[in-house]
Amino acid sequence: EVQLVESGGGLVKPGGSLRLSCAASGFTFRTYSMNWVRQAPGKGLEWVSSISSSGTYTYYADSVKGRFTVSRDNAKNSLYLQMNSLRDEDTAVYYCARDPSRSIPPPDYWGQGTLVTVSS
Amino acid sequence: QSALTQPASVSGSPGQSITISCTGTSSDVGGYNYVSWYQQLPGKAPKLMIYDVSNRPSGVSNRFSGSKSGNTASLTISGLQPEDEADYHCSSYTSSGTLVLFGGGTKLTVL
């Protein structure tokens, strides 16, 4: 069974940093590209970032480019999102999501999400 | 790049059919058959209901179906049941640098 478990969310002040993690199991993690998708309170889904299966290629939404960094450790079956210079508008539930086996989105499996709240 | 366009809400009575539209451009919905639909129950993660425009993952009821015409994709739910009440989101691959777009979500109310 595919499982994606996010962690690392919490309350942080504007300008602060946070690192999210996603632990994957139930599939061969190193062969799948992965995504971070967020959902602000009461809003729709917003794609944040993607990373290729090897980690060679990374992609970012304009809203987070230069502030967020996606990475992965295939030996640990883990995906990460380093978030710096956080803003109020980054407040959201952040989901880790797997791309289908063809490595082209949209995602198929999603984690349960971790809440990030940016507030002074 | 703008999100895909969905109606904010739709409603129907038990047993009826409803259709939710998702409009994009030739760079996303119209250009590729990589359109997915997700069901999101309150406080839960999105669940894949339709992929590649019209395919259902194993375990998803055949009351859910998807289609596409031009730049607009559609999700149809037939034989509405109370448990279908949820938010529904569409998503598409895009040839722009953002890779994937989502719609704003549609709240389905089963009256």
Side-chain angles (χ1 to χ4, degrees), chain A residues 35 37 39 43-48 50-51 59-62 95 99-100 102 104-113, chain B residues 1 33-36 38 40 43-48 51-52 87 89 91-93 97-105:
Chain A
N35 306 271
V37 179
Q39 186 172 33
K43 301 296 185 181
L45 300 169
E46 179 190 14
W47 172 78
V48 173
S50 295
I51 186 168
Y59 308 86
Y60 299 94
D62 287 344
Y95 294 101
D99 275 339
R102 60 169 182 241
I104 299 174
D108 53 7
Y109 285 93
W110 298 60
Q112 86 290 346
Chain B
Q1 185 164 353
N33 289 326
Y34 298 135
V35 177
S36 295
Y38 305 95
Q40 188 177 30
K44 300 295 186 182
K47 174 189 174 186
L48 182 67
Y51 68 96
D52 293 353
D87 292 330
H89 306 269
S91 180
S92 173
Y93 170 78
T98 56
L99 285 190
V100 58
L101 293 175
F102 289 94

Side-chain angles (χ1 to χ4, degrees), chain A residues 31-108:
Chain A
T31 65
Y32 286 81
S33 54
M34 299 292 297
N35 306 271
W36 289 99
V37 179
R38 68 185 180 184
Q39 186 172 33
K43 301 296 185 181
L45 300 169
E46 179 190 14
W47 172 78
V48 173
S49 180
S50 295
I51 186 168
S52 61
S53 57
S54 64
T56 301
Y57 302 102
T58 57
Y59 308 86
Y60 299 94
D62 287 344
S63 58
V64 306
K65 201 172 293 184
R67 300 188 298 122
F68 290 12
T69 302
V70 63
S71 62
R72 63 192 297 162
D73 186 336
N74 286 343
K76 294 183 177 180
N77 290 343
S78 293
L79 175 72
Y80 306 102
L81 186 67
Q82 177 66 43
M83 303 186 296
N84 299 331
S85 303
L86 282 161
R87 306 167 179 168
D88 290 350
E89 55 265 35
D90 295 319
T91 293
V93 174
Y94 284 74
Y95 294 101
C96 161
R98 188 190 82 166
D99 275 339
S101 57
R102 60 169 182 241
S103 292
I104 299 174
D108 53 7

Side-chain angles (χ1 to χ4, degrees), chain B residues 13-92:
Chain B
S13 300
Q16 287 186 332
S17 294
I18 63 96
T19 297
I20 300 171
S21 62
C22 171
T23 301
T25 70
S26 58
S27 295
D28 38 75
V29 174
Y32 306 91
N33 289 326
Y34 298 135
V35 177
S36 295
W37 290 90
Y38 305 95
Q39 177 191 66
Q40 188 177 30
L41 298 170
K44 300 295 186 182
K47 174 189 174 186
L48 182 67
M49 305 301 284
I50 296 288
Y51 68 96
D52 293 353
V53 175
S54 59
N55 294 293
R56 277 188 311 276
S58 175
V60 172
S61 170
N62 59 9
R63 298 186 298 105
F64 292 82
S65 62
S67 62
K68 188 182 83 168
S69 177
N71 294 337
T72 299
S74 298
L75 172 71
T76 298
I77 308 173
S78 59
L80 270 180
Q81 298 180 1
E83 56 264 34
D84 297 332
E85 189 163 288
D87 292 330
Y88 291 85
H89 306 269
C90 66
S91 180
S92 173

